[in-house]
Amino acid sequence: MRAIQITEFGGPEVLKISEVPEPVAGDGQVLITVDRAGINYADTHQVENSYLSKTELPLIPGGEVVGHTADGRRVVALVGSGGYAEKTVAHAPYAWDVPEGVTDGQALSLVLQGTTAWHLLKTSTHLQPGESVLVHAGAGGVGSLAVQLAKLWGAGRVIATASSEDKRKQVLELGADAAIDGTPEGLKDRILEANGGKPVDIVLEMVGGPTFDESFAALARFGRLVTFGAASRQQAAPIDPSRLMKGSKTVAGFWLADCFANPRLLGDPLAELFGLTARGELRPIVGGEYALSDVATAHEDMRARRTVGKLLLDPTR
């Protein structure tokens, strides 16, 4: 079968089509014919071996797929790796049936990025009605869903950062109350201005480096900042514990992989997100679809912040 297999670490240039043996489902696994694979920012880290978990070669990237099983089920699945291929295998508890009213692209938006947004707001920061929320990269896969969920769940004011005027218009259309430039220089002041001169209660932060520092500086008393990525590939300044005590602030980390030991930590949020989507209350954004042969372009576009929403890979092309 055709797959993207990397044999050396590097940038998008190492992503090349190969002919590899078809996978075989073992005990407790299901074989899936892949209709679409999801492309995530974490994939760009995995390819260069800068992800939280180290990667071994050779590797077929891709942690999520939507497709069909041998018995005709339409499923969305988390596979860890192996998704950039015509076929893959998943452990049965991590393959969920996709309901009517939810498209392939929407299912892929929700299975990883949707469940991440769900946990960021409910598990990590415990959003309360009326609180203000700052969402970084509000036009991205996680961000576009987090903006909508925060509004659905009663946030008082939702502020989103985005890197271009077009993206800022998009996050306003998704329900954000304000959209600002996410450039680190002067970011704290722009956050405060967008929140009526007040610090924010919750920050969802996935850029790292000076963006983290500026966001923490804009955090209110009893505010919570959760970090779930480092897209800038820069380190933030260390935080002295006294800076947490003064203002009673919380900094948390979130990595969806820590939910993998218990499928219910994924399945229960996913069921709620499927319901919201099928009823038209939540609108997952599918930002682009790429042929298998164009996966390097997809990674380049994502790293250059030229994309919005969920990116899909079509292994049939």
Side-chain angles (χ1 to χ4, degrees), residues 64-106:
E64 58 187 17
V65 300
V66 64
H68 291 80
T69 63
D71 59 0
R73 293 169 58 206
R74 176 172 166 250
V75 298
V76 64
L78 293 178
V79 296
S81 62
Y84 291 6
E86 293 178 317
K87 293 186 178 182
T88 191
V89 295
H91 291 284
Y94 300 91
W96 296 275
D97 291 296
V98 181
E100 292 293 328
V102 176
T103 68
D104 287 355
Q106 290 173 334

Side-chain angles (χ1 to χ4, degrees), residues 78-275:
L78 293 178
V79 296
S81 62
Y84 291 6
E86 293 178 317
K87 293 186 178 182
T88 191
V89 295
H91 291 284
Y94 300 91
W96 296 275
D97 291 296
V98 181
E100 292 293 328
V102 176
T103 68
D104 287 355
Q106 290 173 334
L108 284 171
S109 297
L110 297 174
V111 69
L112 192 151
Q113 290 162 320
T115 54
T116 294
W118 191 99
H119 278 291
L120 291 173
L121 290 167
K122 287 205 170 185
T123 306
S124 296
T125 61
H126 308 285
L127 170 65
Q128 300 299 308
E131 291 188 313
S132 54
V133 180
L134 171 66
V135 179
H136 281 291
V142 174
S144 61
L145 293 166
V147 166
Q148 295 178 72
L149 290 173
K151 294 299 290 186
L152 281 170
W153 293 335
R157 187 165 180 81
V158 176
I159 303 158
T161 70
S163 59
S164 70
E165 189 61 36
D166 284 345
K167 290 183 178 182
R168 290 191 281 275
K169 286 175 61 177
Q170 183 180 48
V171 296
L172 291 172
E173 291 170 359
L174 290 174
D177 298 291
I180 61 176
D181 181 2
T183 304
E185 185 176 356
L187 179 58
K188 174 192 171 184
D189 292 337
R190 292 195 298 279
I191 296 169
L192 296 178
E193 181 182 1
N195 199 38
K198 300 177 182 178
V200 291
D201 297 306
I202 288 173
V203 177
L204 311 186
E205 205 287 307
M206 42 65 67
V207 182
T211 299
F212 178 101
D213 301 330
E214 290 283 308
S215 301
F216 179 81
L219 202 59
R221 290 179 181 175
F222 298 100
R224 290 89 71 200
L225 181 153
V226 56
T227 177
F228 64 105
S232 68
R233 290 167 165 80
Q234 295 178 289
Q235 295 292 320
I239 294 182
D240 188 304
S242 64
R243 295 180 63 199
L244 297 176
M245 294 169 60
K246 188 175 181 180
S248 301
K249 300 175 182 179
T250 297
V251 174
F254 181 77
W255 187 29
L256 192 67
D258 287 321
C259 296
F260 292 174
N262 182 354
R264 288 194 59 182
L265 292 176
L266 301 165
D268 289 352
L270 188 59
E272 181 177 351
L273 296 168
F274 278 159

Side-chain angles (χ1 to χ4, degrees), residues 1-4 17-20 60 84-87 291-293 314-317:
M1 69 171 185
R2 296 163 70 244
I4 300 297
I17 292 181
S18 300
E19 287 289 334
V20 301
I60 298 174
Y84 291 6
E86 293 178 317
K87 293 186 178 182
L292 192 67
S293 56
D314 182 355
T316 69
R317 295 194 288 131

